[in-house]
């Protein structure tokens, strides 16, 4: 029996992907650095299945059909390079290595080039959906050597989640690091959604004094409407979960949020490309602040400002909170698509944004009903520069705006921090302001550093300098922008 594909790295995601492939009719060879894991797996969860356990990389490679397809599910970073280095002498031209971890897209671009130079193919495939998704249908975002797609596409599309009439949530994304880039941005949006939901939870708890069961009920109800999404669904379940002693689990989880880097990379890339992804950045920084637990405890004793329940009509306020959460999801998603658009241009990836929205409709962590609207928006206009300009988005956000403002106002008055929800509103107001205060920034820059400015009454591209103090020189710095 020879294997259609091989997988290295039998942690939970790796194991589940193998079982998913096997279930879909593929023979899979497996290898793991700690060999006992291979034996445990083939004699345990994979017992009696078309899974070939191997005990050396040589044996692993020898079991694979040509061109060999090797999927690597190890921790992002050096471990991926090490595995590639060990595999290279054993593989031949035309073979394919697929990295299914959350690798940094620049690493994937580099690895693709290095392997292509050796006549091999490399694919960086973002895989989303956690353990459950890996087993029953993840969203898969592959990019790298285009030639690999016809060899791996049938396997990936078979194991991916399906939406609508069985359309798989897996399409070829683009060259180099495009697949991992799209997965990185998926995770960035995941950060803003998680944080925005956490903010709504905190508003209900601190501001409205609601119990876990009540909050769980609200999230369950929201999941039946426009907010329908995996993250809202699991939040409802989390809030009502009790342990064996009958205690709510949520109440004893330490309020320090971890992160593995994909949100940070999204923000780094956004800074590099000059695209505001303000909700993701607030979400990343909120995790950083959450981690400074000791400082927060200390500060809470110094800054004893407002910390009081809201004086609002609960039912009305919950509607407002719903709208502010929904608008935040939409704005974050719009920003993320603008970012992918900028990255697509910068790195010359021919990304099909409707296909990205489609891949995110099922299987992945950010799956939600509004992704269907995003899919339709890009189908209607593939060159849409900002989803906020799509009719669905603009009308939904405008409808949410009054409630969104009431939530931001009430939380600010009562001293409850909602950085993602409030920065979403600031972005919206900034975007819809045809004139803004940046003229003053230009004046300040010109005052202290002769950085020059453009004028409203002159053509763009002409730069002017004012001698603000009357004793400045006539030299000014060159006008350039990063
Ligand atoms: C997914 C998830 C997955 C993982 C995150 C968690 O799409 O299945 O995004 O990739 O859960 O990487 O990231 P943090 O540890 O940074 O929250």
């Amino acid at each position: 029996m020879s294997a259609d594909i091989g997988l290295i790295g039998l942690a939970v995601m790796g194991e589940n992907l193998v079982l998913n492939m096997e279930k879909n009719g593929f023979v899979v060879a497996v290898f793991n650095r700690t060999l006992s894991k291979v034996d445990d797996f083939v004699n345990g969860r994979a017992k009696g299945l078309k899974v070939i356990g191997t005990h050396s990389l040589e044996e692993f490679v020898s079991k694979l059909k040509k061109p060999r397809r090797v999927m690597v599910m190890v921790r992002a970073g050096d471990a991926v390079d090490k595995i590639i280095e060990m595999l290279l002498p054993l593989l031949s031209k035309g073979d394919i290595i697929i990295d299914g971890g959350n690798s940094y897209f620049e690493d994937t671009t580099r690895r693709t080039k290095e392997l292509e130079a050796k006549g091999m193919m490399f694919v960086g495939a973002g895989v989303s959906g956690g353990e459950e998704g890996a087993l029953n249908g993840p969203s898969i975002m592959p990019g790298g050597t285009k030639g690999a797609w016809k060899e791996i596409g049938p396997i990936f599309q078979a194991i991916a989640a399906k939406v609508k009439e069985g359309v798989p949530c897996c399409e070829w994304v683009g060259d180099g690091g495009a697949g991992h880039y799209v997965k990185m941005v998926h995770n960035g949006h995941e950060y803003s959604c998680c944080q925005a939901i956490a903010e709504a939870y905190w508003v209900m708890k601190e501001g409205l004094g609601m119990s876990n069961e009540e909050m769980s009920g609200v999230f369950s109800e929201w999941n039946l409407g426009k907010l329908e999404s995996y993250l809202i669904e699991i939040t409802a379940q989390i809030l009502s979960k009790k342990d064996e002693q009958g205690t709510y689990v949520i109440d004893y989880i330490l309020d320090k949020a971890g992160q593995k880097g994909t949100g940070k990379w999204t923000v780094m890339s956004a800074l590099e490309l000059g695209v505001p992804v303000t909700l993701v950045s607030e979400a990343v920084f909120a995790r950083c602040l959450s981690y400074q637990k000791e400082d927060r405890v200390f500060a809470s004793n110094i800054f004893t400002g407002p910390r009081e329940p809201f004086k609002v009509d609960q039912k009305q306020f919950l509607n407002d909170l719903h709208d502010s959460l929904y608008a935040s999801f939409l704005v974050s998603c719009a920003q993320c698509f603008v970012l992918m658009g900028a990255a697509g241009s910068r790195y010359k990836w021919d990304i099909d944004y409707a296909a990205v929205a489609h891949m995110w409709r099922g299987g992945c962590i950010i799956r939600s009903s509004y992704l269907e609207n995003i899919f339709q928006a890009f189908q209607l206009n593939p060159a849409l520069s900002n989803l906020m300009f799509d009719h669905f988005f603009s009308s939904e956000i405008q409808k949410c705006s009054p409630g969104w403002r009431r939530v931001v106002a009430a939380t600010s008055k009562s001293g409850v921090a909602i950085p993602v929800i409030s920065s979403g509103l600031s972005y919206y107001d900034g975007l819809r302001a045809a004139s803004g205060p940046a003229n003053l920034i230009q004046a300040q820059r010109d005052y202290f550093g002769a950085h020059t400015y453009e004028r409203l009454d002159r053509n763009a591209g002409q730069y002017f300098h004012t001698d603000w103090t009357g004793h400045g020189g006539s030299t000014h710095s060159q006008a350039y922008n990063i």
Side-chain angles (χ1 to χ4, degrees), residues 76-77 102-109 111 180 184 265 268-269:
N102 273 329
S103 289
Y104 184 50
F105 76 98
E106 299 268 29
D107 287 339
T108 304
T109 302
R111 289 170 186 144
H180 271 142
M184 174 191 84
W265 296 339
M268 281 162 50
S269 174

Side-chain angles (χ1 to χ4, degrees), residues 102 127-130 183 186-187 190-191 259-261 287 365:
N102 273 329
V127 179
S128 178
K183 174 56 171 45
H186 162 285
N187 281 27
E190 175 185 305
Y191 272 56
Q259 48 183 319
K260 297 200 186 74
R287 288 197 192 187
I365 304 296

Side-chain angles (χ1 to χ4, degrees), residues 347-366:
Y347 304 111
K348 303 196 172 35
W349 296 325
D350 189 17
I351 300 179
D352 174 346
Y353 299 101
V356 171
H358 171 72
M359 279 186 269
W360 290 357
R361 283 194 300 178
C364 64
I365 304 296
I366 62 166

Side-chain angles (χ1 to χ4, degrees), residues 254-299:
L254 180 64
D255 54 333
K256 285 170 74 172
Q259 48 183 319
K260 297 200 186 74
T262 46
K264 179 179 85 176
W265 296 339
T266 305
V267 177
M268 281 162 50
S269 174
L271 289 170
E272 174 61 28
L273 296 169
V275 177
V277 289
T278 49
L279 287 85
V280 183
S281 57
E282 286 295 350
V284 172
F285 287 127
R287 288 197 192 187
C288 298
L289 184 59
S290 82
Y291 231 77
Q292 297 172 4
K293 175 78 175 173
E294 281 167 24
D295 279 357
R296 289 191 290 117
V297 171
F298 184 68

Side-chain angles (χ1 to χ4, degrees), residues 381-401:
N381 178 7
L384 189 62
S385 65
N386 189 329
L387 275 168
M388 305 276 284
F389 305 149
D390 169 72
H391 175 70
F392 168 80
F393 268 72
S394 57
S395 60
E396 290 295 273
I397 290 170
Q398 284 188 78
K399 272 186 259 165
C400 290
S401 150

Side-chain angles (χ1 to χ4, degrees), residues 49-109:
L49 304 180
K50 298 181 295 309
V51 174
I52 308 168
T54 65
H55 295 87
S56 69
L57 275 180
E58 288 77 6
E59 188 195 359
F60 171 80
V61 168
S62 75
K63 300 290 179 195
L64 302 175
K65 280 182 198 161
K66 287 185 182 169
R68 300 182 185 94
R69 303 168 189 89
V70 179
M71 184 152 190
V72 179
M73 292 299 294
V74 299
R75 194 180 164 154
D78 291 347
V80 178
D81 288 311
K82 290 220 172 71
I83 285 281
I84 294 174
E85 207 180 291
M86 290 187 318
L87 278 168
L88 276 178
L90 307 172
L91 297 178
S92 328
K93 287 194 171 168
D95 288 346
I96 304 160
I97 298 180
I98 307 140
D99 170 17
N102 273 329
S103 289
Y104 184 50
F105 76 98
E106 299 268 29
D107 287 339
T108 304
T109 302

